[in-house]
Amino acid sequence: MRVLLRFASLVALVVAVIAGTIDSIQSVAASAVVMTPMGDAWNDVSPSSLASLRSAIAYYVHPRLYDMAMQWLLFQPAFAVFLVISLLLWMIAYKRQPAAGRFSA
């Protein structure tokens, strides 16, 4: 399971770097800071999945949850969202070294 979580973390990190690179290229071209919101990036890639998620959250959880949490998330920069997802997946898959094993004889 750790291998899958680490691989998912790597994929999220790659997507974050790609999104950051696209934003930096657009910023240089526009001579102003450009940060693509997560909602716009998701809508460009797959608008049907965004609509499906909205209807699923409204049906299974509560319609206000989409308005509060998802709308806030969709207005954040795409690279930052994927960086946080990558960090969380890596933290879940992290295996600590046993404290007694390093210094015991």
Side-chain angles (χ1 to χ4, degrees), residues 13-95:
L13 183 62
V14 167
V15 171
V17 168
I18 290 171
T21 304
I22 290 171
D23 286 349
S24 63
I25 290 170
Q26 289 176 348
S27 295
V28 169
S31 297
V33 177
V34 175
M35 287 190 267
T36 307
M38 182 67 187
D40 291 350
W42 194 345
N43 198 24
D44 290 344
V45 173
S46 178
S48 62
S49 67
L50 184 60
S52 316
L53 179 70
R54 183 181 196 283
S55 63
I57 289 176
Y59 182 75
Y60 290 111
V61 183
H62 198 275
R64 288 191 186 178
L65 179 69
Y66 181 81
D67 293 335
M68 293 185 320
M70 288 300 292
Q71 287 296 331
W72 178 83
L73 182 71
L74 292 177
F75 284 121
Q76 302 307 313
F79 75 91
V81 172
F82 282 110
L83 280 176
V84 169
I85 290 171
S86 176
L87 177 66
L88 290 175
L89 289 172
W90 179 80
M91 287 171 58
I92 292 169
Y94 183 73
K95 181 180 179 184

